[in-house]
PDB file of all heavy atoms in Angstrom:
ATOM      1  N   PHE A 862     214.989 383.753  76.196  1.00  0.00           N
ATOM      2  CA  PHE A 862     214.324 384.422  75.077  1.00  0.00           C
ATOM      3  C   PHE A 862     214.379 383.511  73.855  1.00  0.00           C
ATOM      4  O   PHE A 862     215.447 383.054  73.455  1.00  0.00           O
ATOM      5  CB  PHE A 862     215.021 385.748  74.741  1.00  0.00           C
ATOM      6  CG  PHE A 862     214.575 386.912  75.574  1.00  0.00           C
ATOM      7  CD1 PHE A 862     215.149 387.162  76.808  1.00  0.00           C
ATOM      8  CD2 PHE A 862     213.577 387.761  75.123  1.00  0.00           C
ATOM      9  CE1 PHE A 862     214.749 388.234  77.580  1.00  0.00           C
ATOM     10  CE2 PHE A 862     213.162 388.837  75.882  1.00  0.00           C
ATOM     11  CZ  PHE A 862     213.747 389.084  77.123  1.00  0.00           C
ATOM     12  N   SER A 864     212.250 384.419  70.968  1.00  0.00           N
ATOM     13  CA  SER A 864     212.141 385.393  69.882  1.00  0.00           C
ATOM     14  C   SER A 864     213.424 386.218  69.820  1.00  0.00           C
ATOM     15  O   SER A 864     214.232 386.188  70.763  1.00  0.00           O
ATOM     16  CB  SER A 864     210.935 386.303  70.122  1.00  0.00           C
ATOM     17  OG  SER A 864     211.001 386.887  71.411  1.00  0.00           O
ATOM     18  N   PRO A 865     213.649 386.969  68.737  1.00  0.00           N
ATOM     19  CA  PRO A 865     214.901 387.709  68.587  1.00  0.00           C
ATOM     20  C   PRO A 865     215.216 388.623  69.775  1.00  0.00           C
ATOM     21  O   PRO A 865     214.349 389.317  70.289  1.00  0.00           O
ATOM     22  CB  PRO A 865     214.663 388.539  67.319  1.00  0.00           C
ATOM     23  CG  PRO A 865     213.713 387.725  66.540  1.00  0.00           C
ATOM     24  CD  PRO A 865     212.811 387.085  67.538  1.00  0.00           C
ATOM     25  N   TYR A 866     216.456 388.558  70.182  1.00  0.00           N
ATOM     26  CA  TYR A 866     216.979 389.379  71.261  1.00  0.00           C
ATOM     27  C   TYR A 866     218.274 389.921  70.698  1.00  0.00           C
ATOM     28  O   TYR A 866     219.302 389.257  70.718  1.00  0.00           O
ATOM     29  CB  TYR A 866     217.213 388.491  72.487  1.00  0.00           C
ATOM     30  CG  TYR A 866     217.452 389.228  73.782  1.00  0.00           C
ATOM     31  CD1 TYR A 866     216.503 390.090  74.288  1.00  0.00           C
ATOM     32  CD2 TYR A 866     218.617 389.019  74.515  1.00  0.00           C
ATOM     33  CE1 TYR A 866     216.700 390.738  75.499  1.00  0.00           C
ATOM     34  CE2 TYR A 866     218.835 389.655  75.721  1.00  0.00           C
ATOM     35  CZ  TYR A 866     217.863 390.521  76.212  1.00  0.00           C
ATOM     36  OH  TYR A 866     218.059 391.160  77.409  1.00  0.00           O
ATOM     37  N   TYR A 867     218.188 391.108  70.118  1.00  0.00           N
ATOM     38  CA  TYR A 867     219.268 391.607  69.282  1.00  0.00           C
ATOM     39  C   TYR A 867     220.538 391.899  70.102  1.00  0.00           C
ATOM     40  O   TYR A 867     220.465 392.136  71.316  1.00  0.00           O
ATOM     41  CB  TYR A 867     218.803 392.849  68.525  1.00  0.00           C
ATOM     42  CG  TYR A 867     217.675 392.546  67.571  1.00  0.00           C
ATOM     43  CD1 TYR A 867     216.383 393.020  67.809  1.00  0.00           C
ATOM     44  CD2 TYR A 867     217.888 391.755  66.449  1.00  0.00           C
ATOM     45  CE1 TYR A 867     215.343 392.729  66.938  1.00  0.00           C
ATOM     46  CE2 TYR A 867     216.855 391.461  65.580  1.00  0.00           C
ATOM     47  CZ  TYR A 867     215.590 391.947  65.833  1.00  0.00           C
ATOM     48  OH  TYR A 867     214.560 391.633  64.973  1.00  0.00           O
ATOM     49  N   ASN A 878     219.500 395.573  75.235  1.00  0.00           N
ATOM     50  CA  ASN A 878     219.173 394.811  74.024  1.00  0.00           C
ATOM     51  C   ASN A 878     217.761 395.128  73.572  1.00  0.00           C
ATOM     52  O   ASN A 878     216.838 395.198  74.385  1.00  0.00           O
ATOM     53  CB  ASN A 878     219.269 393.307  74.277  1.00  0.00           C
ATOM     54  CG  ASN A 878     220.608 392.869  74.806  1.00  0.00           C
ATOM     55  OD1 ASN A 878     220.895 393.059  75.994  1.00  0.00           O
ATOM     56  ND2 ASN A 878     221.412 392.268  73.961  1.00  0.00           N
ATOM     57  N   TRP A 879     217.595 395.310  72.271  1.00  0.00           N
ATOM     58  CA  TRP A 879     216.256 395.442  71.706  1.00  0.00           C
ATOM     59  C   TRP A 879     215.625 394.056  71.574  1.00  0.00           C
ATOM     60  O   TRP A 879     216.275 393.086  71.173  1.00  0.00           O
ATOM     61  CB  TRP A 879     216.308 396.084  70.334  1.00  0.00           C
ATOM     62  CG  TRP A 879     216.470 397.574  70.354  1.00  0.00           C
ATOM     63  CD1 TRP A 879     217.583 398.302  70.090  1.00  0.00           C
ATOM     64  CD2 TRP A 879     215.443 398.519  70.680  1.00  0.00           C
ATOM     65  NE1 TRP A 879     217.348 399.641  70.221  1.00  0.00           N
ATOM     66  CE2 TRP A 879     216.023 399.808  70.592  1.00  0.00           C
ATOM     67  CE3 TRP A 879     214.098 398.419  71.050  1.00  0.00           C
ATOM     68  CZ2 TRP A 879     215.311 400.973  70.839  1.00  0.00           C
ATOM     69  CZ3 TRP A 879     213.384 399.574  71.301  1.00  0.00           C
ATOM     70  CH2 TRP A 879     213.986 400.833  71.195  1.00  0.00           C
ATOM     71  N   THR A 880     214.338 393.957  71.899  1.00  0.00           N
ATOM     72  CA  THR A 880     213.582 392.728  71.640  1.00  0.00           C
ATOM     73  C   THR A 880     212.788 392.912  70.355  1.00  0.00           C
ATOM     74  O   THR A 880     212.665 394.017  69.834  1.00  0.00           O
ATOM     75  CB  THR A 880     212.595 392.410  72.774  1.00  0.00           C
ATOM     76  OG1 THR A 880     211.498 393.343  72.718  1.00  0.00           O
ATOM     77  CG2 THR A 880     213.262 392.476  74.132  1.00  0.00           C
ATOM     78  N   ASP A 881     212.229 391.821  69.883  1.00  0.00           N
ATOM     79  CA  ASP A 881     211.273 391.863  68.782  1.00  0.00           C
ATOM     80  C   ASP A 881     209.941 392.380  69.336  1.00  0.00           C
ATOM     81  O   ASP A 881     209.725 392.374  70.559  1.00  0.00           O
ATOM     82  CB  ASP A 881     211.097 390.450  68.229  1.00  0.00           C
ATOM     83  CG  ASP A 881     210.381 390.420  66.905  1.00  0.00           C
ATOM     84  OD1 ASP A 881     210.970 390.836  65.906  1.00  0.00           O
ATOM     85  OD2 ASP A 881     209.222 389.974  66.889  1.00  0.00           O
ATOM     86  N   ASN A 882     209.036 392.823  68.464  1.00  0.00           N
ATOM     87  CA  ASN A 882     207.736 393.263  68.985  1.00  0.00           C
ATOM     88  C   ASN A 882     206.858 392.091  69.412  1.00  0.00           C
ATOM     89  O   ASN A 882     205.937 392.249  70.205  1.00  0.00           O
ATOM     90  CB  ASN A 882     206.994 394.128  67.956  1.00  0.00           C
ATOM     91  CG  ASN A 882     206.514 393.320  66.764  1.00  0.00           C
ATOM     92  OD1 ASN A 882     207.321 392.727  66.050  1.00  0.00           O
ATOM     93  ND2 ASN A 882     205.217 393.290  66.530  1.00  0.00           N
ATOM     94  N   ASP A 883     207.136 390.890  68.878  1.00  0.00           N
ATOM     95  CA  ASP A 883     206.489 389.669  69.359  1.00  0.00           C
ATOM     96  C   ASP A 883     207.506 388.920  70.199  1.00  0.00           C
ATOM     97  O   ASP A 883     208.456 388.323  69.679  1.00  0.00           O
ATOM     98  CB  ASP A 883     206.009 388.805  68.194  1.00  0.00           C
ATOM     99  CG  ASP A 883     204.772 389.371  67.530  1.00  0.00           C
ATOM    100  OD1 ASP A 883     203.947 389.952  68.250  1.00  0.00           O
ATOM    101  OD2 ASP A 883     204.632 389.231  66.308  1.00  0.00           O
ATOM    102  N   ILE A 884     207.323 388.958  71.501  1.00  0.00           N
ATOM    103  CA  ILE A 884     208.303 388.396  72.439  1.00  0.00           C
ATOM    104  C   ILE A 884     207.812 387.027  72.891  1.00  0.00           C
ATOM    105  O   ILE A 884     206.649 386.862  73.266  1.00  0.00           O
ATOM    106  CB  ILE A 884     208.480 389.315  73.663  1.00  0.00           C
ATOM    107  CG1 ILE A 884     208.944 390.710  73.215  1.00  0.00           C
ATOM    108  CG2 ILE A 884     209.477 388.717  74.655  1.00  0.00           C
ATOM    109  CD1 ILE A 884     208.889 391.752  74.315  1.00  0.00           C
ATOM    110  N   PHE A 899     210.873 393.201  83.522  1.00  0.00           N
ATOM    111  CA  PHE A 899     211.709 393.771  82.476  1.00  0.00           C
ATOM    112  C   PHE A 899     211.983 395.234  82.829  1.00  0.00           C
ATOM    113  O   PHE A 899     211.047 396.022  82.992  1.00  0.00           O
ATOM    114  CB  PHE A 899     210.996 393.723  81.113  1.00  0.00           C
ATOM    115  CG  PHE A 899     210.571 392.357  80.681  1.00  0.00           C
ATOM    116  CD1 PHE A 899     209.302 391.876  81.004  1.00  0.00           C
ATOM    117  CD2 PHE A 899     211.426 391.548  79.950  1.00  0.00           C
ATOM    118  CE1 PHE A 899     208.902 390.612  80.604  1.00  0.00           C
ATOM    119  CE2 PHE A 899     211.032 390.288  79.550  1.00  0.00           C
ATOM    120  CZ  PHE A 899     209.770 389.812  79.874  1.00  0.00           C
ATOM    121  N   LEU A 952     203.344 393.340  70.949  1.00  0.00           N
ATOM    122  CA  LEU A 952     203.340 394.800  70.994  1.00  0.00           C
ATOM    123  C   LEU A 952     203.155 395.377  69.598  1.00  0.00           C
ATOM    124  O   LEU A 952     203.536 394.755  68.601  1.00  0.00           O
ATOM    125  CB  LEU A 952     204.670 395.324  71.552  1.00  0.00           C
ATOM    126  CG  LEU A 952     205.188 394.763  72.872  1.00  0.00           C
ATOM    127  CD1 LEU A 952     206.619 395.220  73.095  1.00  0.00           C
ATOM    128  CD2 LEU A 952     204.314 395.202  74.021  1.00  0.00           C
ATOM    129  N   ALA A 965     217.778 394.352  62.591  1.00  0.00           N
ATOM    130  CA  ALA A 965     216.681 394.614  63.516  1.00  0.00           C
ATOM    131  C   ALA A 965     215.508 395.281  62.811  1.00  0.00           C
ATOM    132  O   ALA A 965     215.677 396.239  62.060  1.00  0.00           O
ATOM    133  CB  ALA A 965     217.173 395.474  64.669  1.00  0.00           C
ATOM    134  N   SER A 966     214.307 394.769  63.031  1.00  0.00           N
ATOM    135  CA  SER A 966     213.087 395.365  62.500  1.00  0.00           C
ATOM    136  C   SER A 966     211.958 395.016  63.454  1.00  0.00           C
ATOM    137  O   SER A 966     212.079 394.114  64.283  1.00  0.00           O
ATOM    138  CB  SER A 966     212.782 394.836  61.101  1.00  0.00           C
ATOM    139  OG  SER A 966     212.585 393.441  61.136  1.00  0.00           O
ATOM    140  N   ASN A 967     210.836 395.735  63.347  1.00  0.00           N
ATOM    141  CA  ASN A 967     209.707 395.475  64.238  1.00  0.00           C
ATOM    142  C   ASN A 967     210.146 395.440  65.703  1.00  0.00           C
ATOM    143  O   ASN A 967     209.947 394.455  66.410  1.00  0.00           O
ATOM    144  CB  ASN A 967     209.020 394.160  63.865  1.00  0.00           C
ATOM    145  CG  ASN A 967     208.424 394.194  62.479  1.00  0.00           C
ATOM    146  OD1 ASN A 967     207.858 395.187  62.069  1.00  0.00           O
ATOM    147  ND2 ASN A 967     208.578 393.107  61.747  1.00  0.00           N
ATOM    148  N   LEU A 968     210.761 396.519  66.150  1.00  0.00           N
ATOM    149  CA  LEU A 968     211.331 396.566  67.494  1.00  0.00           C
ATOM    150  C   LEU A 968     210.244 396.564  68.562  1.00  0.00           C
ATOM    151  O   LEU A 968     209.157 397.116  68.386  1.00  0.00           O
ATOM    152  CB  LEU A 968     212.210 397.798  67.645  1.00  0.00           C
ATOM    153  CG  LEU A 968     213.434 397.876  66.719  1.00  0.00           C
ATOM    154  CD1 LEU A 968     214.174 399.185  66.932  1.00  0.00           C
ATOM    155  CD2 LEU A 968     214.365 396.696  66.962  1.00  0.00           C
ATOM    156  N   GLY A 969     210.595 395.936  69.714  1.00  0.00           N
ATOM    157  CA  GLY A 969     209.663 395.877  70.832  1.00  0.00           C
ATOM    158  C   GLY A 969     210.036 396.851  71.928  1.00  0.00           C
ATOM    159  O   GLY A 969     209.606 397.999  71.928  1.00  0.00           O
ATOM    160  N   ILE A 970     210.880 396.413  72.858  1.00  0.00           N
ATOM    161  CA  ILE A 970     211.330 397.277  73.949  1.00  0.00           C
ATOM    162  C   ILE A 970     212.846 397.149  74.103  1.00  0.00           C
ATOM    163  O   ILE A 970     213.430 396.108  73.778  1.00  0.00           O
ATOM    164  CB  ILE A 970     210.637 396.929  75.285  1.00  0.00           C
ATOM    165  CG1 ILE A 970     210.792 395.448  75.632  1.00  0.00           C
ATOM    166  CG2 ILE A 970     209.175 397.329  75.248  1.00  0.00           C
ATOM    167  CD1 ILE A 970     210.144 395.061  76.938  1.00  0.00           C
ATOM    168  N   PHE A 971     213.464 398.227  74.599  1.00  0.00           N
ATOM    169  CA  PHE A 971     214.906 398.227  74.849  1.00  0.00           C
ATOM    170  C   PHE A 971     215.117 397.805  76.301  1.00  0.00           C
ATOM    171  O   PHE A 971     214.877 398.573  77.234  1.00  0.00           O
ATOM    172  CB  PHE A 971     215.504 399.603  74.593  1.00  0.00           C
ATOM    173  CG  PHE A 971     217.006 399.607  74.625  1.00  0.00           C
ATOM    174  CD1 PHE A 971     217.745 399.171  73.541  1.00  0.00           C
ATOM    175  CD2 PHE A 971     217.694 400.037  75.758  1.00  0.00           C
ATOM    176  CE1 PHE A 971     219.127 399.161  73.564  1.00  0.00           C
ATOM    177  CE2 PHE A 971     219.078 400.041  75.796  1.00  0.00           C
ATOM    178  CZ  PHE A 971     219.795 399.602  74.694  1.00  0.00           C
ATOM    179  N   VAL A 972     215.552 396.549  76.494  1.00  0.00           N
ATOM    180  CA  VAL A 972     215.650 395.946  77.828  1.00  0.00           C
ATOM    181  C   VAL A 972     217.074 396.100  78.368  1.00  0.00           C
ATOM    182  O   VAL A 972     218.043 395.739  77.697  1.00  0.00           O
ATOM    183  CB  VAL A 972     215.265 394.457  77.780  1.00  0.00           C
ATOM    184  CG1 VAL A 972     215.432 393.814  79.151  1.00  0.00           C
ATOM    185  CG2 VAL A 972     213.838 394.295  77.295  1.00  0.00           C
ATOM    186  N   THR A 975     216.516 391.793  82.800  1.00  0.00           N
ATOM    187  CA  THR A 975     215.371 390.893  82.933  1.00  0.00           C
ATOM    188  C   THR A 975     215.608 390.006  84.144  1.00  0.00           C
ATOM    189  O   THR A 975     216.709 389.465  84.312  1.00  0.00           O
ATOM    190  CB  THR A 975     215.194 390.015  81.686  1.00  0.00           C
ATOM    191  OG1 THR A 975     215.135 390.847  80.530  1.00  0.00           O
ATOM    192  CG2 THR A 975     213.936 389.177  81.779  1.00  0.00           C
TER     193      THR A 975
END
Side-chain angles (χ1 to χ4, degrees):
F862 276 85
S864 54
Y866 193 60
Y867 297 111
N878 304 77
W879 281 104
T880 72
D881 193 71
N882 70 299
D883 286 326
I884 301 169
F899 303 91
L952 309 169
S966 61
N967 297 320
L968 298 177
I970 54 179
F971 189 79
V972 177
T975 306

